[in-house]
Amino acid sequence: MRVRRGCYYPTDAWLALTDGERFQLAVAAHAWTHPDTVFCGETALFLRGLPVVKVPPTIDVATPSTTRLGVRPPSFAVRGTAERSVRALGSAPPPLRRHFHATVTPQEVRGCLAVPLAEALVETMVHAKFARALTVADGVLRLDAAAPLLDRQPVLEALAALRYATHRRRCEAIASLARAGAESPGESVSRALMLRFGFPEPVLQCEYADGQGRLGRTDFTWRSGPQATPTPSGKERVGEFDGWGKYFDSGLTGGEDPVAVVKREKRRENRLLALGHPVLRWTWAELEQPARFRSMLLSAGLQASRSAAFAL
């Protein structure tokens, strides 16, 4: 199969890769065929290891030319009609997107050239959907939570370079909402939906303990207030985003058996319930259906100030 013109890869090996690995390979193939390419936007953040929602929707490249901007279809191709060929076609890398950059000061990142971190962040906050933009803003803040994003000189310079005031205001709003306590893309997307629907903003990573000892941190905690009706026990609600990595990613589980991880997580939930804390759980399935996620939070006693029409 052809990843792009001049770059070929075994079909079976391509199918064995994760989505992130395929995206990385497609970026490397473009850099190999066009060594002077400077990657920007969400692609530049991905190359730096920043968390993104799944993989970037386009391979973002910077160009000083105002012609041929926008999205260009990929040159990905697979021969044959066998089942594995059809599967490979269904896992094609995203298209290339050219972004105008009047000047570029590239940095080497993982063997590729990329725009500086702050520039990539601001560009993503301008162009990406709210949930994707908030995810990368959370991730950049988490790298160094000592200073808010809007107190950082490189970010301020990148904002000042924006041509349109509407873009600048959007970036400032998203940057002000960034929280270092959001520890995964799923948690960031959850927050994005809560904010868009007007739910009360939860406290992140609260510590809990009972008579047996430390229970650990919860992803989200809602204290009682105007938009959170009191619970029967009077204790605050807690929420947990269940990404599959929590159970099956050996890097997160330390190699622990997934069944053992599930049992341990269930015991932890039972201890939280015994303390009187209602526990809400959701997965990517709920986040990919925002109206369903909104209904779940409403059923749990939280109040939204906006309708389901505000789905991302």
Side-chain angles (χ1 to χ4, degrees), residues 105-123:
T105 307
Q107 300 173 343
E108 186 171 344
V109 181
R110 296 169 68 178
C112 300
L113 297 177
V115 300
L117 175 64
E119 191 174 332
L121 170 63
V122 168
E123 186 169 37

Side-chain angles (χ1 to χ4, degrees), residues 78-111:
V78 182
R79 289 183 178 178
T81 57
E83 184 268 341
R84 64 184 187 130
S85 299
V86 174
R87 287 171 53 212
L89 278 173
S91 60
L96 190 77
R97 183 177 183 182
R98 300 179 188 274
H99 301 259
F100 173 69
H101 283 243
T103 59
V104 177
T105 307
Q107 300 173 343
E108 186 171 344
V109 181
R110 296 169 68 178

Side-chain angles (χ1 to χ4, degrees), residues 54-309:
K54 300 182 180 178
V55 297
T58 56
I59 297 175
D60 305 296
V61 301
T63 175
S65 172
T66 57
T67 61
R68 301 176 68 195
L69 297 177
V71 176
R72 297 181 62 81
S75 57
F76 183 84
V78 182
R79 289 183 178 178
T81 57
E83 184 268 341
R84 64 184 187 130
S85 299
V86 174
R87 287 171 53 212
L89 278 173
S91 60
L96 190 77
R97 183 177 183 182
R98 300 179 188 274
H99 301 259
F100 173 69
H101 283 243
T103 59
V104 177
T105 307
Q107 300 173 343
E108 186 171 344
V109 181
R110 296 169 68 178
C112 300
L113 297 177
V115 300
L117 175 64
E119 191 174 332
L121 170 63
V122 168
E123 186 169 37
T124 303
M125 291 193 295
V126 167
H127 295 293
K129 289 185 177 181
F130 177 57
R132 300 192 73 91
L134 186 63
T135 296
V136 297
D138 286 346
V140 171
L141 182 60
R142 195 162 58 249
L143 288 176
D144 178 11
L149 293 178
L150 294 176
D151 287 349
R152 303 181 186 190
Q153 192 60 32
V155 174
L156 295 176
E157 291 174 358
L159 288 171
L162 292 175
R163 182 176 179 181
Y164 300 108
T166 52
H167 289 173
R168 188 159 52 251
R169 288 194 294 269
R170 183 180 198 264
C171 290
E172 289 170 347
I174 293 171
S176 69
L177 293 170
R179 302 289 183 267
E183 296 185 341
S184 72
E187 293 176 31
S188 294
V189 174
S190 299
R191 288 184 56 242
L193 286 170
M194 293 172 198
L195 292 167
R196 286 295 297 266
F197 287 135
F199 284 106
E201 184 170 359
V203 180
L204 307 181
Q205 309 304 329
C206 281
E207 290 275 358
Y208 289 92
D210 62 6
Q212 301 178 50
R214 182 176 179 271
L215 273 167
R217 300 176 299 170
T218 57
D219 296 337
F220 307 94
T221 298
W222 291 274
R223 306 253 161 80
S224 295
Q227 288 184 269
T229 57
T231 63
S233 66
K235 299 291 185 69
E236 61 264 27
R237 297 167 179 81
V238 300
E240 296 275 83
F241 168 73
D242 280 337
W244 287 114
K246 179 185 290 187
Y247 304 105
F248 299 104
D249 186 338
S250 59
L252 298 176
T253 65
E256 188 177 1
D257 178 68
V259 174
V261 177
V262 171
K263 290 181 178 178
R264 175 164 50 78
E265 189 66 18
K266 181 59 178 174
R267 288 194 296 270
R268 175 173 170 271
E269 179 177 331
N270 288 339
R271 290 167 65 186
L272 283 167
L273 290 170
L275 288 173
H277 298 287
V279 179
L280 288 71
R281 288 189 176 276
W282 61 88
T283 66
W284 279 113
E286 284 73 34
L287 299 184
E288 289 170 352
Q289 300 182 56
R292 176 179 168 188
F293 181 59
R294 179 179 180 274
S295 295
M296 187 189 76
L297 296 183
L298 289 172
S299 297
L302 299 173
Q303 297 177 21
S305 61
R306 301 188 187 97
S307 74

